[in-house]
Amino acid sequence: MPELPEVETVIRQLRPQVEGRKFWKFESKNASTFKPSATVLEEILPGKRIEKLRRHGKYIIFELSDQLVMVVHLRMTGMFSFEEDLQNKSFLRGIFTFTNGRRLMFSDIRKFGQICLYPRSEFMEKTNIDQLGFDPIIDGIECLNFSRGILKNTLLNQRCIAGIGNIYADEICFRSGLDPRSRVEKLDSKQMHRLKESIVYCLQEGIKHNGTTISDFRGTRGDSGKHQKYLQVYGRKDDPCYKCGSLIEKLRVAGRGTYICVNCQLLLSSQIPASNKKSAKSN
DNA sequence: AGTCGCCTGGTA
DNA sequence: TACCAGGCGACT
């Protein structure tokens, strides 16, 4: 569920509540959520202070005292909320109690979410954060120029750019005027520029609206995002394109449900035989 | 690059 | 009942 804008929303809501706070106690309600183990978190966390909360792509990074780092990935349905705002206790997977008595709850319907605690020297490799590409909002976009292959795969590839997921990938393609099945190596410099602009724009719009709530995403106070109201293509199968009026289609690209306006989005496909193709049609 | 598995719930 | 879902890693 959560992509970069949703994770950024969570961070912004969480930061003033947790930075500088000290853990009093941690309780696991689902062992598989925690690495290296729930027991390690229960034994190590008490007494540790949260010095800084930050993000890389879809990962939430708690920098703790004593050279420790706690890394959280929400995956599809992971969610933080404070005790007083927790709607449904059925999917509670962990409880973080601070020395001031407040309790931060981690819920996760599907149990894909991961919370890891490691020494600073190990957390990058243990959580695969060392393999992530640049975060397009924090670091800018560095690695698209030399990419090859299907556009949507590239956008979803966290090692290329960290933070884009299925919703924003489709929105970015629409804004770029590019069919997600296009080959990245076929983009000319103008199209590449437009694509980069769209990545930053779409993600920033998502952040501005506190994320997209299709069904599950909630902020730390149980609040829905607003960006679903601004989506141009995602989830709009058979609805008219806001630009041209033709109906939005749903396809499967990169193994994911994919929404496009075939009229507005240009397909830059690979030319099958290079031999008898005289016309170097760039479109 | 595509498919499966991890889980659970919502919807057709 | 079957299929789908904001993710991602392992495998083919």
Short mmCIF file of all heavy atoms in Angstrom, two decimals, chain B:
data_model
loop_
_atom_site.label_atom_id
_atom_site.label_comp_id
_atom_site.label_asym_id
_atom_site.label_seq_id
_atom_site.Cartn_x
_atom_site.Cartn_y
_atom_site.Cartn_z
P DA B 1 12.98 -6.00 -18.49
OP1 DA B 1 13.58 -5.55 -17.37
OP2 DA B 1 12.62 -5.33 -19.67
"O5'" DA B 1 12.20 -7.37 -18.34
"C5'" DA B 1 12.07 -8.17 -19.50
"C4'" DA B 1 11.02 -9.22 -19.26
"O4'" DA B 1 11.62 -10.27 -18.48
"C3'" DA B 1 9.80 -8.76 -18.46
"O3'" DA B 1 8.67 -9.50 -18.89
"C2'" DA B 1 10.18 -9.10 -17.03
"C1'" DA B 1 10.95 -10.39 -17.24
N9 DA B 1 11.96 -10.65 -16.22
C8 DA B 1 12.78 -9.74 -15.61
N7 DA B 1 13.59 -10.28 -14.73
C5 DA B 1 13.27 -11.64 -14.79
C6 DA B 1 13.75 -12.76 -14.10
N6 DA B 1 14.71 -12.68 -13.18
N1 DA B 1 13.21 -13.96 -14.40
C2 DA B 1 12.26 -14.03 -15.33
N3 DA B 1 11.72 -13.05 -16.03
C4 DA B 1 12.27 -11.87 -15.71
P DG B 2 7.20 -9.24 -18.33
OP1 DG B 2 6.35 -9.03 -19.50
OP2 DG B 2 7.30 -8.25 -17.25
"O5'" DG B 2 6.79 -10.65 -17.67
"C5'" DG B 2 6.81 -11.82 -18.48
"C4'" DG B 2 6.66 -13.03 -17.57
"O4'" DG B 2 7.84 -13.15 -16.75
"C3'" DG B 2 5.47 -12.95 -16.62
"O3'" DG B 2 4.80 -14.20 -16.58
"C2'" DG B 2 6.09 -12.63 -15.27
"C1'" DG B 2 7.45 -13.32 -15.39
N9 DG B 2 8.47 -12.72 -14.53
C8 DG B 2 8.82 -11.39 -14.46
N7 DG B 2 9.77 -11.17 -13.60
C5 DG B 2 10.06 -12.41 -13.06
C6 DG B 2 10.99 -12.80 -12.06
O6 DG B 2 11.78 -12.08 -11.44
N1 DG B 2 10.95 -14.16 -11.82
C2 DG B 2 10.11 -15.05 -12.45
N2 DG B 2 10.21 -16.32 -12.07
N3 DG B 2 9.23 -14.71 -13.38
C4 DG B 2 9.26 -13.38 -13.63
P DT B 3 3.40 -14.31 -15.85
OP1 DT B 3 2.37 -14.57 -16.86
OP2 DT B 3 3.29 -13.12 -14.97
"O5'" DT B 3 3.58 -15.59 -14.94
"C5'" DT B 3 4.85 -16.21 -14.83
"C4'" DT B 3 4.90 -17.05 -13.56
"O4'" DT B 3 6.01 -16.58 -12.75
"C3'" DT B 3 3.67 -16.97 -12.65
"O3'" DT B 3 3.50 -18.24 -12.03
"C2'" DT B 3 4.06 -15.89 -11.64
"C1'" DT B 3 5.55 -16.16 -11.48
N1 DT B 3 6.35 -14.98 -11.08
C2 DT B 3 7.39 -15.18 -10.19
O2 DT B 3 7.67 -16.26 -9.73
N3 DT B 3 8.09 -14.05 -9.88
C4 DT B 3 7.86 -12.77 -10.34
O4 DT B 3 8.57 -11.83 -9.98
C5 DT B 3 6.76 -12.64 -11.27
C7 DT B 3 6.43 -11.29 -11.82
C6 DT B 3 6.06 -13.74 -11.59
P DC B 4 2.39 -18.52 -10.97
OP1 DC B 4 1.88 -19.87 -11.19
OP2 DC B 4 1.48 -17.36 -10.90
"O5'" DC B 4 3.26 -18.56 -9.64
"C5'" DC B 4 4.24 -19.59 -9.48
"C4'" DC B 4 4.81 -19.52 -8.08
"O4'" DC B 4 5.55 -18.29 -7.93
"C3'" DC B 4 3.76 -19.54 -6.97
"O3'" DC B 4 4.20 -20.43 -5.96
"C2'" DC B 4 3.70 -18.10 -6.50
"C1'" DC B 4 5.12 -17.60 -6.77
N1 DC B 4 5.22 -16.14 -7.05
C2 DC B 4 6.23 -15.40 -6.45
O2 DC B 4 7.02 -15.96 -5.67
N3 DC B 4 6.33 -14.08 -6.73
C4 DC B 4 5.47 -13.50 -7.58
N4 DC B 4 5.62 -12.21 -7.82
C5 DC B 4 4.43 -14.25 -8.20
C6 DC B 4 4.34 -15.55 -7.92
P DG B 5 3.14 -20.90 -4.86
OP1 DG B 5 3.31 -22.35 -4.69
OP2 DG B 5 1.81 -20.31 -5.16
"O5'" DG B 5 3.71 -20.17 -3.57
"C5'" DG B 5 5.09 -20.32 -3.25
"C4'" DG B 5 5.44 -19.35 -2.15
"O4'" DG B 5 5.64 -18.04 -2.72
"C3'" DG B 5 4.35 -19.20 -1.09
"O3'" DG B 5 4.93 -19.32 0.21
"C2'" DG B 5 3.78 -17.80 -1.31
"C1'" DG B 5 4.95 -17.07 -1.94
N9 DG B 5 4.56 -15.98 -2.81
C8 DG B 5 3.56 -15.99 -3.76
N7 DG B 5 3.44 -14.85 -4.39
C5 DG B 5 4.42 -14.05 -3.83
C6 DG B 5 4.76 -12.70 -4.11
O6 DG B 5 4.26 -11.93 -4.93
N1 DG B 5 5.81 -12.25 -3.31
C2 DG B 5 6.45 -13.02 -2.36
N2 DG B 5 7.43 -12.43 -1.69
N3 DG B 5 6.13 -14.28 -2.09
C4 DG B 5 5.11 -14.72 -2.85
P DC B 6 4.03 -19.73 1.41
OP1 DC B 6 4.76 -20.72 2.22
OP2 DC B 6 2.67 -19.99 0.90
"O5'" DC B 6 3.97 -18.38 2.23
"C5'" DC B 6 5.19 -17.82 2.74
"C4'" DC B 6 4.97 -16.36 2.96
"O4'" DC B 6 4.74 -15.72 1.71
"C3'" DC B 6 3.70 -16.03 3.77
"O3'" DC B 6 4.09 -15.78 5.12
"C2'" DC B 6 3.16 -14.75 3.14
"C1'" DC B 6 4.13 -14.48 2.00
N1 DC B 6 3.50 -13.95 0.79
C2 DC B 6 3.96 -12.74 0.27
O2 DC B 6 4.86 -12.15 0.85
N3 DC B 6 3.37 -12.24 -0.84
C4 DC B 6 2.39 -12.92 -1.44
N4 DC B 6 1.85 -12.37 -2.54
C5 DC B 6 1.92 -14.16 -0.94
C6 DC B 6 2.50 -14.63 0.16
P DC B 7 3.33 -16.46 6.30
OP1 DC B 7 4.22 -16.44 7.44
OP2 DC B 7 2.72 -17.73 5.84
"O5'" DC B 7 2.20 -15.39 6.55
"C5'" DC B 7 0.90 -15.70 6.19
"C4'" DC B 7 0.10 -14.44 6.21
"O4'" DC B 7 0.22 -13.79 4.94
"C3'" DC B 7 -1.37 -14.72 6.41
"O3'" DC B 7 -1.69 -14.29 7.72
"C2'" DC B 7 -2.10 -13.91 5.37
"C1'" DC B 7 -1.01 -13.19 4.60
N1 DC B 7 -1.17 -13.33 3.13
C2 DC B 7 -1.68 -12.25 2.41
O2 DC B 7 -2.01 -11.23 3.03
N3 DC B 7 -1.81 -12.35 1.07
C4 DC B 7 -1.45 -13.47 0.45
N4 DC B 7 -1.58 -13.52 -0.87
C5 DC B 7 -0.92 -14.58 1.16
C6 DC B 7 -0.79 -14.47 2.49
P DT B 8 -3.10 -14.79 8.32
OP1 DT B 8 -2.99 -14.64 9.79
OP2 DT B 8 -3.47 -16.07 7.69
"O5'" DT B 8 -4.12 -13.69 7.76
"C5'" DT B 8 -3.97 -12.33 8.11
"C4'" DT B 8 -4.95 -11.51 7.29
"O4'" DT B 8 -4.57 -11.57 5.91
"C3'" DT B 8 -6.39 -12.02 7.34
"O3'" DT B 8 -7.13 -11.07 8.07
"C2'" DT B 8 -6.83 -12.14 5.88
"C1'" DT B 8 -5.72 -11.41 5.12
N1 DT B 8 -5.43 -11.96 3.76
C2 DT B 8 -5.45 -11.11 2.68
O2 DT B 8 -5.70 -9.92 2.78
N3 DT B 8 -5.17 -11.70 1.48
C4 DT B 8 -4.87 -13.03 1.26
O4 DT B 8 -4.64 -13.44 0.13
C5 DT B 8 -4.87 -13.87 2.44
C7 DT B 8 -4.57 -15.33 2.31
C6 DT B 8 -5.14 -13.30 3.62
P DG B 9 -8.72 -11.19 8.15
OP1 DG B 9 -9.10 -10.50 9.39
OP2 DG B 9 -9.14 -12.58 7.89
"O5'" DG B 9 -9.19 -10.28 6.94
"C5'" DG B 9 -8.58 -9.00 6.80
"C4'" DG B 9 -9.22 -8.25 5.65
"O4'" DG B 9 -8.72 -8.76 4.40
"C3'" DG B 9 -10.74 -8.38 5.60
"O3'" DG B 9 -11.25 -7.10 5.24
"C2'" DG B 9 -10.97 -9.40 4.48
"C1'" DG B 9 -9.79 -9.11 3.55
N9 DG B 9 -9.35 -10.25 2.75
C8 DG B 9 -9.17 -11.55 3.16
N7 DG B 9 -8.74 -12.33 2.20
C5 DG B 9 -8.62 -11.49 1.10
C6 DG B 9 -8.20 -11.77 -0.23
O6 DG B 9 -7.83 -12.85 -0.70
N1 DG B 9 -8.23 -10.63 -1.03
C2 DG B 9 -8.63 -9.39 -0.60
N2 DG B 9 -8.60 -8.41 -1.52
N3 DG B 9 -9.02 -9.11 0.63
C4 DG B 9 -9.00 -10.20 1.42
P DG B 10 -12.79 -6.81 5.17
OP1 DG B 10 -13.00 -5.59 5.96
OP2 DG B 10 -13.55 -8.05 5.46
"O5'" DG B 10 -12.99 -6.45 3.63
"C5'" DG B 10 -12.18 -5.43 3.06
"C4'" DG B 10 -12.48 -5.34 1.59
"O4'" DG B 10 -11.92 -6.49 0.91
"C3'" DG B 10 -13.96 -5.32 1.25
"O3'" DG B 10 -14.17 -4.37 0.22
"C2'" DG B 10 -14.25 -6.75 0.80
"C1'" DG B 10 -12.92 -7.14 0.15
N9 DG B 10 -12.62 -8.57 0.20
C8 DG B 10 -12.71 -9.40 1.28
N7 DG B 10 -12.34 -10.63 1.02
C5 DG B 10 -12.01 -10.60 -0.32
C6 DG B 10 -11.53 -11.64 -1.17
O6 DG B 10 -11.33 -12.83 -0.89
N1 DG B 10 -11.30 -11.20 -2.46
C2 DG B 10 -11.50 -9.90 -2.89
N2 DG B 10 -11.22 -9.65 -4.17
N3 DG B 10 -11.93 -8.92 -2.10
C4 DG B 10 -12.17 -9.34 -0.84
P DT B 11 -15.65 -3.95 -0.21
OP1 DT B 11 -15.59 -2.50 -0.44
OP2 DT B 11 -16.61 -4.54 0.75
"O5'" DT B 11 -15.83 -4.68 -1.62
"C5'" DT B 11 -14.88 -4.43 -2.65
"C4'" DT B 11 -15.06 -5.45 -3.75
"O4'" DT B 11 -14.64 -6.75 -3.27
"C3'" DT B 11 -16.51 -5.62 -4.24
"O3'" DT B 11 -16.52 -5.42 -5.64
"C2'" DT B 11 -16.86 -7.06 -3.89
"C1'" DT B 11 -15.48 -7.70 -3.87
N1 DT B 11 -15.38 -8.94 -3.08
C2 DT B 11 -14.87 -10.07 -3.70
O2 DT B 11 -14.51 -10.08 -4.86
N3 DT B 11 -14.80 -11.17 -2.89
C4 DT B 11 -15.19 -11.27 -1.56
O4 DT B 11 -15.07 -12.32 -0.96
C5 DT B 11 -15.71 -10.06 -0.99
C7 DT B 11 -16.16 -10.07 0.44
C6 DT B 11 -15.79 -8.96 -1.77
P DA B 12 -17.92 -5.18 -6.40
OP1 DA B 12 -17.84 -3.81 -6.98
OP2 DA B 12 -19.03 -5.57 -5.52
"O5'" DA B 12 -17.82 -6.22 -7.61
"C5'" DA B 12 -16.59 -6.36 -8.33
"C4'" DA B 12 -16.60 -7.70 -9.05
"O4'" DA B 12 -16.40 -8.77 -8.10
"C3'" DA B 12 -17.90 -8.01 -9.79
"O3'" DA B 12 -17.59 -8.67 -11.00
"C2'" DA B 12 -18.62 -8.95 -8.83
"C1'" DA B 12 -17.46 -9.71 -8.20
N9 DA B 12 -17.74 -10.19 -6.84
C8 DA B 12 -18.29 -9.51 -5.80
N7 DA B 12 -18.39 -10.21 -4.69
C5 DA B 12 -17.87 -11.45 -5.04
C6 DA B 12 -17.70 -12.64 -4.32
N6 DA B 12 -18.05 -12.80 -3.04
N1 DA B 12 -17.15 -13.69 -4.97
C2 DA B 12 -16.81 -13.54 -6.26
N3 DA B 12 -16.92 -12.47 -7.04
C4 DA B 12 -17.46 -11.45 -6.36
#
